[in-house]
Amino acid sequence: MKERDLMLLHYITGIGILVFGSIHIATVFLTYPFQGTIWETTLRFDSIPYAILPVYRNALLAASLFGLLLCTTIHAMNGLRSIIAELIGARKRWVETLLVAVGAFLLVYGTRTILIANALV
Amino acid sequence: MVERVKFRVFRYRPEDGGRGIYREYEVPVKKGMTILDGLIYIKENLDPTLSVRYSCRMAICGSCGVRVNAIETLACHTQILELRRRLITVEPMRNYPLIKDLVTDMAPLFRKQKALMTWLIRQDTEEQENPTRQYLQSEEELERYLQFTYCIQCGLCYSACPVVSTFPDFYGPQPLMKAYRYYADSRDEGGVVRTRLVDRFEGVWRCHFAGSCSAVCPKGVDPALAIQLLRRAALKG
Ligand code: SF4
Ligand code: FES
């Protein structure tokens, strides 16, 4: 992949994070009036599986969550690629391979979580 | 009126190894004296072993780049009294191999310029060898790159660049700016080749737009702007 295509992807995923991230935060915070107190639903993380999951049993929101996962993973791995190169002062092939592997793992694991949350599997 | 100002000068001799030391010298300063005048005074009167590079003494040749109180500047272009300090620290530029004292090896800058083919690329080699006409340009065409031709290759921007500091393979502000200078020139035919060269991991994308290159340029050139314009060119392909 050309560097310019990667960077274009970096900018697009950055905007994606902003859009999908906003949807995600809005969903989490705006749904609490219908679910009980904010503490019970969103801020008490141990209650999240019970309180917030029903909200995501909605194909559109699940898709937006997947969008957030995709954008964050691509943006973060590409960002780490240049941060690490600048930190160690050189570009290393094994670092980039490792980042692709970590990114792939995050995508698979995140997708699995979204599917479980949506009771699709 | 003569004032006495203390110069704290970085000294380095390769044969000694190590990281270099700072030596202090007291210099009598008159109005109008530059940092370069101060360094020449030290060399002529206090310590003849001090090495400093200069030539024109009028901000034209670009050979006297140093860091004065941690800011990149031309020694011949900086008046001592205007700094309003009793102690002035003079150090060599960063991001270059050090030769001796304040003298740096500019080879990385010129090597990168060469790698980016920073010259006019044209197909009509015969016309260039035996010119029969002028390459005319309109005023607008000239203005697209004019400010970038003011560069005197002093290398201060390259020294001030924080990305070159941490990632030495980055082409750096001056070579990229010069690549844009030719890219934007209507007489040049190397646009495709040059955008391909800058569209590398070490190329335009590593710039964090810190802006220190443009801030230190003694000629008012804006390499940070050139890099952003070059990014646009690289995206267009
Ligand atoms: S752009 Fe400015 S600071 Fe950089 S080499 Fe040219 S004249 Fe010097
Ligand atoms: S001596 Fe020529 S620029 Fe300073």
Side-chain angles (χ1 to χ4, degrees):
Chain A
M1 202 172 190
K2 276 188 185 160
E3 196 62 26
R4 68 157 192 227
D5 299 330
L6 259 178
M7 292 312 291
L8 199 59
L9 199 62
H10 194 70
Y11 300 145
I12 293 170
T13 51
I15 296 170
I17 290 171
L18 217 65
V19 173
F20 294 126
S22 309
I23 295 174
H24 178 58
I25 291 169
T27 324
V28 168
F29 280 90
L30 293 180
T31 50
Y32 83 87
F34 311 108
Q35 305 274 333
T37 68
I38 192 169
W39 170 248
E40 282 167 356
T41 55
T42 56
L43 296 182
R44 227 181 82 201
F45 292 104
D46 59 352
S47 74
I48 280 178
Y50 312 103
I52 209 69
L53 286 188
V55 176
Y56 276 107
R57 296 216 170 107
N58 166 321
L60 265 183
L61 284 179
S64 89
L65 203 56
F66 181 72
L68 181 60
L69 171 71
L70 193 67
C71 289
T72 313
T73 309
I74 294 174
H75 195 82
M77 293 306 123
N78 192 37
L80 277 174
R81 184 178 68 111
S82 59
I83 290 171
I84 293 173
E86 285 168 25
L87 264 181
I88 59 181
R91 195 179 175 194
K92 297 268 187 260
R93 183 68 55 201
W94 68 267
V95 170
E96 292 178 12
T97 312
L98 188 68
L99 287 172
V100 171
V102 171
F105 170 76
L106 289 176
L107 276 180
V108 171
Y109 192 78
T111 308
R112 171 187 167 273
T113 312
I114 294 170
L115 290 176
I116 291 174
N118 271 274
L120 293 172
V121 289
Chain B
M1 202 184 84
V2 176
E3 283 185 42
R4 300 199 82 78
V5 173
K6 201 173 265 174
F7 270 54
R8 190 168 163 266
V9 183
F10 183 83
R11 303 300 309 270
Y12 169 80
R13 291 192 341 153
E15 55 270 36
D16 290 349
R19 309 185 62 178
I21 51 164
Y22 288 87
R23 286 241 167 85
E24 291 191 354
Y25 307 92
E26 210 161 80
V27 178
V29 176
K30 280 187 285 190
K31 191 165 182 275
M33 257 179 88
T34 63
I35 296 288
L36 182 60
D37 294 331
L39 293 171
I40 292 171
Y41 176 88
I42 295 170
K43 193 170 171 60
E44 286 177 350
N45 301 286
L46 307 174
D47 188 346
T49 65
L50 175 67
S51 291
V52 51
R53 181 172 49 210
Y54 63 95
S55 178
C56 70
R57 302 192 193 192
M58 53 176 79
I60 288 174
C61 72
S63 48
C64 66
V66 286
R67 299 176 77 228
V68 173
N69 292 340
I71 293 175
E72 278 75 8
T73 187
L74 292 177
C76 71
H77 195 46
T78 311
Q79 303 240 338
I80 301 171
L81 294 181
E82 279 181 5
L83 295 172
R84 295 174 199 283
R85 296 271 173 90
R86 292 264 156 233
L87 177 69
I88 291 171
T89 304
V90 187
E91 297 162 305
M93 289 192 286
R94 292 184 299 190
N95 301 339
Y96 297 99
L98 205 49
I99 296 175
K100 186 175 178 287
D101 298 337
L102 302 174
V103 183
T104 48
D105 180 359
M106 308 289 280
L109 190 81
F110 300 130
R111 207 171 38 238
K112 287 173 181 178
Q113 281 185 17
K114 200 171 166 200
L116 293 177
M117 303 174 80
T118 53
W119 53 82
L120 211 61
I121 300 174
R122 286 189 66 91
Q123 305 302 323
D124 56 356
T125 36
E126 176 53 31
E127 173 65 25
Q128 286 181 74
E129 295 297 328
N130 305 297
T132 57
R133 61 189 165 86
Q134 295 176 49
Y135 294 119
L136 292 177
Q137 276 187 320
S138 68
E139 214 172 305
E140 292 75 42
E141 285 171 334
L142 174 68
E143 266 166 16
R144 282 179 63 203
Y145 68 89
L146 182 61
Q147 74 141 310
F148 305 117
T149 63
Y150 296 145
C151 171
I152 55 171
Q153 311 202 64
C154 61
L156 292 175
C157 53
Y158 189 90
S159 166
C161 176
V163 181
V164 180
S165 287
T166 54
F167 184 55
D169 288 344
F170 174 50
Y171 285 129
Q174 198 277 347
L176 287 169
M177 180 276 298
K178 206 161 178 208
Y180 182 75
R181 177 253 174 274
Y182 285 103
Y183 172 84
D185 192 325
S186 59
R187 299 165 298 179
D188 185 78
E189 293 167 354
V192 175
V193 114
R194 218 175 269 112
T195 46
R196 217 173 283 151
L197 289 173
V198 299
D199 181 27
R200 291 195 173 152
F201 187 80
E202 309 77 24
V204 281
W205 308 109
R206 295 287 76 76
C207 169
H208 291 295
F209 206 33
S212 47
C213 51
S214 305
V216 300
C217 178
K219 291 290 162 184
V221 180
D222 192 348
L225 169 71
I227 295 175
Q228 305 319 306
L229 294 171
L230 210 47
R231 276 183 174 178
R232 189 166 70 181
L235 276 180
K236 283 186 188 162

